[in-house]
Amino acid sequence: MASNPPKLKIEITSNERLKTLKEKFEARFGESPLFYACAPGRVNLIGEHIDYCGYSVLPMAIEQNILAAVSVNSLGTIQLANTNPQYQDFKVPCSEEIVIDREDPKWHYYFLCGVKGIQEKFGIARLAGMSCVVDGTIPPSSGLSSSSALVCCSGLLTMEANHKSLSKVALAEICAKSERYIGTEGGGMDQSISFLAEKGTAKLIEFQPLRATDVKLPEGAVFVISNCCVEMNKAASSHYNIRVVECRIATKMLAQARGLDPRALLKLSQVQTELKASLEEMLVLVDEVLHPESYSREEICKVLDITSEQLCTELLSANTQH
């Protein structure tokens, strides 16, 4: 597997989607794109909602993706357009600080997450002006990581437009962190498989440190992904982050119960590592320490010996303060 994102030469006329995107870019900006960037969506085969606990997952990329046509402009602005008319154009001067509104998670804020991540990684005082038209074939808010693919595509093209270079692993880590600007406290699976995927194989994704191992798919196997058409924007509600903070609180409680310092631990896998426990032993520990009924704020604070203010600032996310 190549360590850096590959740069490929593609004949535009033989690819209808690229040809159409090029035409829309030219109609919008009056020039041809300088390059194209692409990031796929994903489906998870094993290990749903455990990456943010530090545990391994087994996703694979899908054919549906986010594709962007890009040029570097001399206007000193980032100009965004989308082939889907439901997503409005957006423009921001490169001289301004990038601000991402968590209360209003529109499509361009996901794009700006990737831009901001690259800017901060390299300490770029003034970003290159960019004109971009984005085309997506991943059904939005369908659980196939359309938002993460957009963040990854944005990070990739921002890196290229500003003449920087990073490995795919480094890009995945940056994009996982930068998506948190919009309020989603994910564990990094979506961004990792978007950058590290290869044809014909799923990937065993492990964390701390991030690494990927091929898991070859059966020859001739076909995976059918059914869309129930019920949309869920992770950043627009607290449902996703509630699970994350519940696991974070459980981590602290299990650590406390076994004499570990809970201040240094945020993920369940860290507790398991510290205790040198098997998964079976961890299940027994959960049953011993935690009760199945809901915990009140007061009970959590009493068990962890923290104030309500510490609970809010150290354990809860912005959209789970309730």
Side-chain angles (χ1 to χ4, degrees):
M1 178 179 70
S3 61
N4 284 27
K7 297 181 181 181
L8 308 173
K9 289 187 176 181
I10 298 176
E11 183 60 48
I12 299 293
T13 55
S14 63
N15 186 309
E16 281 300 318
R17 187 178 173 205
L18 278 175
K19 183 179 176 182
T20 300
L21 182 56
K22 179 177 182 290
E23 291 170 352
K24 290 186 177 180
F25 185 96
E26 290 170 341
R28 175 64 179 81
F29 295 115
E31 61 177 342
S32 295
L34 180 63
F35 64 90
Y36 300 84
C38 180
R42 66 98 188 104
V43 65
N44 193 21
L45 302 179
I46 300 175
E48 194 71 18
H49 288 284
I50 59 173
D51 57 333
Y52 50 72
C53 294
Y55 287 109
S56 306
V57 287
L58 184 69
M60 68 176 186
I62 56 177
E63 294 175 355
Q64 289 75 13
N65 59 35
I66 299 293
L67 177 66
V70 189
S71 71
V72 177
N73 67 53
S74 59
L75 304 173
T77 61
I78 297 172
Q79 303 181 107
L80 305 179
N82 200 302
T83 58
N84 188 332
Q86 81 177 77
Y87 300 120
Q88 295 182 347
D89 291 3
F90 179 80
K91 180 168 68 175
V92 62
C94 294
S95 58
E96 290 186 7
E97 180 185 356
I98 292 175
V99 177
I100 295 164
D101 188 355
R102 294 185 175 192
E103 303 300 319
D104 186 21
K106 293 180 179 176
W107 81 276
H108 56 261
Y109 288 130
Y110 287 99
F111 188 100
L112 292 180
C113 284
V115 175
K116 189 176 178 71
I118 294 298
Q119 182 180 34
E120 293 190 349
K121 166 64 180 177
F122 290 102
I124 303 171
R126 189 181 178 91
L127 291 159
M130 298 184 294
S131 302
C132 308
V133 176
V134 175
D135 180 68
T137 55
I138 309 169
S141 304
S142 63
L144 297 174
S145 295
S146 58
S147 56
S148 295
L150 179 55
V151 174
C152 290
C153 187
S154 168
L156 179 62
L157 67 87
T158 301
M159 182 186 74
E160 180 68 18
N162 287 273
H163 305 291
K164 303 297 182 181
S165 179
L166 284 171
S167 70
K168 289 190 279 189
V169 168
L171 273 168
E173 291 178 326
I174 288 168
C175 289
K177 291 177 183 176
S178 65
E179 191 167 334
R180 294 170 192 164
Y181 291 131
I182 205 163
T184 303
E185 304 211 2
M189 172 184 68
D190 301 351
Q191 299 82 3
S192 299
I193 191 61
S194 192
F195 280 115
L196 302 176
E198 293 182 285
K199 188 174 181 178
T201 179
K203 294 282 185 178
L204 172 64
I205 304 289
E206 300 172 272
F207 303 95
Q208 301 167 324
L210 175 61
R211 55 202 184 277
T213 306
D214 288 356
V215 177
K216 189 169 176 58
L217 300 172
E219 198 70 35
V222 175
F223 291 82
V224 178
I225 304 166
S226 178
N227 186 357
C228 69
C229 297
V230 176
E231 296 187 357
M232 172 62 74
N233 185 326
K234 288 187 293 186
S237 73
S238 61
H239 292 86
Y240 183 92
N241 281 355
I242 282 174
R243 289 191 290 264
V244 177
V245 300
E246 284 174 341
C247 291
R248 189 178 297 156
I249 292 168
T251 296
K252 303 285 187 182
M253 288 186 165
L254 295 176
Q256 182 97 323
R258 285 299 177 266
L260 302 175
D261 182 1
R263 294 172 298 179
L265 304 173
L266 288 172
K267 299 180 179 181
L268 289 165
S269 64
Q270 295 173 322
V271 175
Q272 183 181 358
T273 299
E274 288 294 317
L275 294 176
K276 297 181 173 60
S278 65
L279 284 172
E280 289 74 17
E281 290 169 333
M282 287 296 291
L283 287 171
V284 172
L285 177 61
V286 167
D287 286 338
E288 287 179 358
V289 174
L290 304 176
H291 57 64
E293 299 80 24
S294 298
Y295 282 80
S296 66
R297 297 170 71 95
E298 293 75 17
E299 185 178 5
I300 293 170
C301 292
K302 182 178 180 181
V303 171
L304 296 179
D305 192 25
I306 59 175
T307 65
S308 181
E309 182 180 2
Q310 286 176 303
L311 173 67
C312 291
T313 58
E314 297 174 12
L315 297 181
L316 303 183
S317 65
N319 66 348
T320 58
Q321 295 294 317
H322 59 286

